[in-house]
Amino acid sequence: MGEGMRERLRGPEELERWRERLRRERDPSALLFTVNVRSACGLAAGSEEVAKRLEEEVEGRGLAGRIVRTGCNGFCEKEPVVTVYPDETFYVGVRSEDVPELVEGVEKGKVVDRLLYQDPVTGQRIRKASDLPFYRHQQKLLLSLNGRIDPTRIEDYIAEGGYRALAKALFELTPEQVLEEVKRSGLRGRGGGGFPTGRKWETTRKAPGEPKYVIVNCDEGDPGAFMDRSLMEGNPHSVLEGLIIGAYAIGSHQGFIYVREEYPLAVENIGIAIEQARECGLLGEDILGSGFDFEVEVHRGAGAFVSGESSALMTAIEGRVGEPRPKYIHTAVKGIHDKPSCLNNVETWANVPLIILNGAEWFRKIGTEGSPGTKIFSLVGKVNNTGLVEVPMGITLRKIIFEIGGGIKGGKRFKAVQTGGPSGGVIPEQYLDTPVDFDELTKLGSMMGSGGMIVMDEDTCMVDVARFFIHFLLEESCGKCIPCREGLRVLDRILTDLCLGKGKEEDLKTIEEICEAMAEASLCALGTTAVNPVLTTMRYFGEEYEAHLKGRCPAKVCKALTAYFINPDKCQGCLVCFKNCPTGAIQGEREMVHVIEQEKCIKCGICYAVCPFGAVEKLSPPVAPPATYGIKAKKEVRK
Amino acid sequence: MRYRCVECGNEWEDRGWLSTCSRCGQKVTGVSSFFRGPEHPEKLIQVLLSLQREKGWLSPETLKEVSRKLGVPLSRIYQVATFYKAFSLVPRGRHLLRVCMGTACQIRGSPAILERLRQLLGVEPGQVTADGKFTLETVNCLGCCAMGPVMMVDDQYFGRLKLPQLEKILGSYG
């Protein structure tokens, strides 16, 4: 790749000189393609093939263009995404076979219309990313570099102003001043609890005992949340820079970065970032010639949700079973090996360089009084524009889901949004205008959590959702304390019974009693917050619980309470479902109405998924469908 | 233990997680360096992860060796190896098939995907197929929520899965 040897930087002036050189070398008017390859979703969408094809094509045509493999730019729905600079043409859903046309267009100065984003409402094609409704309402601070730089090259980060905040902290501010700035900024922990970051740092700084540790929590086990993964994959230096600044403020010389094992690319990219920062003298001994030493180690998680809890995470770093302990003494005072340990989430650390560079006042102007700054949400589920969304705190749920998210998939009705993962709750339609910040979500019985936002439509069963989270937590509970271990087991049994249509009237009361005990008596937040999804679904969708007691699943999700049925008026006798049925439960002949034999049907839903005419329907309660044997299919009049 | 990249000559101190060169991105294979590096008992989980990745599972012999070299009692090693999901104490199939059961995938139809895979492979999650080809597993979230439903076969991601695709995907693995 020919960047040459990286030299050790001996002071802030050398860093600035290097940055200037890097910027000079990058002609802003030069042709540049960015492809979001360095992200797991990008890879899932096939972006690597697109990048390879681009390289071949650009070279084949003798164009002087550079291809940069960037991290995720948030618009997961439309990946792979290719942006062409300098005119910032934004191509979505690019397949490798589209590449020749795309490059030919660039060569001839033409835009390939069919690869541009098409507004689903107006049908208009939009050329620039910044004009997309999805991006227009966002305020990208943390994610601003994600789709622009190659995370495996420190030069890209430096050229964009990287490590300037570290130089400022080390050479212009005392540790106390850095701490003061973070405190004044009002930054709250983005991992979910929302604890003031500066106060946590101060506790560790003042706690007796050496050494002190700083830790990045990139466990992010919440199903439905991936902002930490994206930051770690797409811009690992921003997290590392924040960590070093924090270590300086706290007086720590050893840090840990805990990353989930399920995120191999994040592990790799942060590893590369560490090596490169060390090579440049931005990490290790005598950072930038300031006399400050700081080392960091990556600890891969081994697949345990509970290890995301701070005290459990610290025991995991010690090489033991990741079980939480009671925290009457904070981990900030007694953490890893009983030494003061300051743990913050990925997103929290990534905010630090911005605050140091721009000042606490600047930060406080963004977001709300009680929750300043921006927050990254992963907007997923039954919403049109799924992806990562960075918005100022205080924006309403409606704006996120309907303006940025483009509304509900397939024109269905919005039912609820689940925030905060298994520790959060569901929020129904009447609260869509709630401004989103730490305190407002808590008032609704949900929480910010790490920022997962799962949109649910009318086809989602709320009892099933509660059962899903409880079952998840039952599997993930470490089992150390009884309220959590036994409470979850009983809740799981009751909710499963409800979904099977075996619920009993008194079950609902039992659920409430168990929830109360768990919230009071569990050892860590896994147990105390586990009740949120159950209680909120019961509070806002109580009628669905009642329906399940009567053997009906209104959303037609719970298998035991539904049956599949082929509507004779819609069936075209095409044999598609017949051929795909894995158990031979469908009887049919060409041009004759097909019939499902209920005894053989295992309700796998394949017929429902494959039918091109929407003739397969679900019934709840599972009633015996009318006999339709031997009826000739009514041919649909095609226009 | 120091590593040297065969591609560009870059040298770095191995800390056990880096499988590519920090400068040129060249893949470095066979990084199971923990036994060659400093041996600390607190590295237990990291050592087990490396071994799991290299060998595919943790045999009793492997665990005994770890116990001897790190000076950690075998009982504690078993405690750790059975607690964390990443470890397998039984041999796995040639390919690891992980179906994401996270919330986003759940509401986009992952239960049906899993059901179909169970039928096609004839095994339950956690089991190996009779021909030793696949191990079927579920995971709680792969972090590709926008692509749901998602599964991974070894290191390959498959997003926006549709039921009729599954047979073909499985067939493409030897």
Side-chain angles (χ1 to χ4, degrees), chain A residues 259 261 267 298-303, chain B residues 3 14-19 28-38 40 42-59 62-63 65-66 70 80-81 84 86-88 92:
Chain A
V259 193
E261 189 259 347
V267 174
V298 173
H299 180 101
R300 286 169 297 162
Chain B
Y3 273 90
D14 176 60
R15 287 167 188 84
W17 65 79
L18 203 63
S19 58
V28 180
T29 48
V31 189
S32 134
S33 56
F34 278 103
F35 288 136
R36 286 171 262 150
H40 296 294
E42 72 262 25
K43 291 276 166 249
L44 175 62
I45 296 169
Q46 305 304 298
V47 170
L48 292 180
L49 277 171
S50 293
L51 289 168
Q52 167 80 44
R53 201 170 172 79
E54 197 176 292
K55 298 176 190 286
W57 69 296
L58 300 173
S59 66
T62 308
L63 295 182
E65 196 190 345
V66 173
L70 294 188
V80 166
Y84 292 102
F87 305 126
S88 174
R92 277 179 167 161

Side-chain angles (χ1 to χ4, degrees), chain A residues 4 84-85 129 196 220 245 320 352 382 400 413 434 439 547 562 625:
Chain A
V84 186
Y85 294 90
E220 193 177 54
I245 295 171
R320 296 189 285 131
V352 171
K382 302 285 186 68
I400 296 178
R413 253 179 74 87
T434 306
D439 309 317
T562 44

Side-chain angles (χ1 to χ4, degrees), chain A residues 5 76-77 229 268 271 276 278-279 297 299-300 302-303 319-320 322 381-382 468 472 476 582 602 606, chain B residues 15 17 19-20 22-23 43 46 50 76 84-86 101 103 106-108 116 119 140-141 143 146 160:
Chain A
M5 281 294 281
C76 312
E77 187 67 30
R229 171 178 71 74
E268 188 153 319
Q276 293 183 350
R278 188 173 280 126
E279 225 180 310
E297 236 175 78
H299 180 101
R300 286 169 297 162
R320 296 189 285 131
K382 302 285 186 68
F468 167 77
F472 168 81
E476 294 294 344
I602 53 166
I606 289 181
Chain B
R15 287 167 188 84
W17 65 79
S19 58
T20 50
S22 56
R23 186 178 305 139
K43 291 276 166 249
Q46 305 304 298
S50 293
R76 222 190 91 201
Y84 292 102
K85 294 215 173 85
M101 300 303 283
T103 329
Q106 173 89 14
I107 65 170
R108 280 190 174 198
R116 183 76 182 125
Q119 288 163 14
N140 286 326
C141 188
R160 295 184 189 125

Side-chain angles (χ1 to χ4, degrees), chain A residues 284-587:
Chain A
E285 281 176 27
D286 191 18
I287 294 174
L288 277 177
S290 67
F292 175 63
D293 305 333
F294 180 65
E295 272 301 337
V296 67
E297 236 175 78
V298 173
H299 180 101
R300 286 169 297 162
F305 178 72
V306 69
S307 292
E309 194 273 342
S310 62
S311 67
L313 188 146
M314 292 183 196
T315 56
I317 286 181
E318 293 167 6
R320 296 189 285 131
V321 163
E323 281 177 346
R325 61 162 174 78
K327 284 193 284 190
Y328 43 84
I329 300 172
H330 290 295
T331 49
V333 178
K334 278 189 174 197
I336 298 176
H337 303 302
D338 279 342
K339 301 293 179 198
S341 306
C342 179
L343 173 139
N344 278 124
N345 161 271
V346 171
E347 205 182 327
T348 318
W349 289 115
N351 265 298
V352 171
L354 296 172
I355 292 169
I356 295 304
L357 207 54
N358 301 306
E361 302 312 320
W362 166 84
F363 191 74
R364 286 211 80 102
K365 283 196 193 113
I366 308 161
T368 61
E369 178 73 32
S371 309
T374 58
K375 175 80 192 88
I376 309 175
F377 291 102
S378 65
L379 185 63
V380 294
K382 302 285 186 68
V383 65
N384 275 317
N385 302 330
T386 49
L388 281 190
V389 169
E390 184 175 355
V391 287
M393 295 267 196
I395 190 172
T396 63
L397 285 166
R398 188 185 298 279
K399 203 157 181 172
I400 296 178
I401 296 165
F402 288 90
E403 288 186 28
I404 298 173
I408 309 303
K409 252 192 159 55
K412 299 252 177 172
R413 253 179 74 87
F414 172 86
K415 187 170 193 177
V417 56
Q418 208 275 346
T419 70
S423 321
V426 299
I427 298 169
E429 200 173 1
Q430 70 254 40
Y431 297 112
L432 271 179
D433 292 308
T434 306
V436 178
D437 74 4
F438 288 104
D439 309 317
E440 293 295 327
L441 292 181
T442 312
K443 278 186 210 159
L444 298 177
S446 186
M447 62 188 282
M448 181 78 82
S450 54
M453 211 171 250
I454 296 151
V455 179
M456 300 169 178
D457 67 1
E458 52 194 299
D459 293 339
T460 316
C461 169
M462 289 299 151
V463 183
D464 183 60
V465 165
R467 184 204 55 80
F468 167 77
F469 281 115
I470 291 301
H471 188 74
F472 168 81
L473 290 169
L474 171 68
E475 284 186 344
E476 294 294 344
S477 168
C478 76
K480 187 175 179 179
C481 74
I482 296 164
C484 176
R485 184 182 65 221
E486 297 305 320
L488 286 169
R489 207 198 307 268
V490 179
L491 283 181
D492 182 57
R493 204 195 63 224
I494 296 177
L495 290 167
T496 307
D497 276 355
L498 277 169
C499 291
L500 289 171
K502 293 179 190 162
K504 291 183 289 293
E505 204 62 52
E506 62 269 25
D507 283 347
L508 303 187
K509 198 164 177 325
T510 317
I511 291 178
E512 276 176 9
E513 281 170 12
I514 293 172
C515 286
E516 198 181 321
M518 283 177 64
E520 279 293 318
S522 296
L523 193 57
C524 80
L526 189 146
T528 54
T529 60
V531 303
N532 288 342
V534 185
L535 292 180
T536 50
T537 46
M538 278 177 84
R539 186 194 309 169
Y540 300 126
F541 298 94
E543 72 283 357
E544 284 194 35
Y545 280 82
E546 297 291 337
H548 279 74
L549 281 176
K550 296 190 179 100
R552 199 168 67 83
C553 175
K556 297 170 192 161
V557 169
C558 295
K559 263 190 191 180
L561 307 181
T562 44
Y564 286 84
F565 158 65
I566 297 173
N567 186 336
D569 292 336
K570 289 189 186 163
C571 179
Q572 300 290 302
C574 69
L575 292 174
V576 169
C577 60
F578 171 85
K579 284 180 194 147
N580 277 286
C581 177
T583 58
I586 296 178
Q587 297 202 336

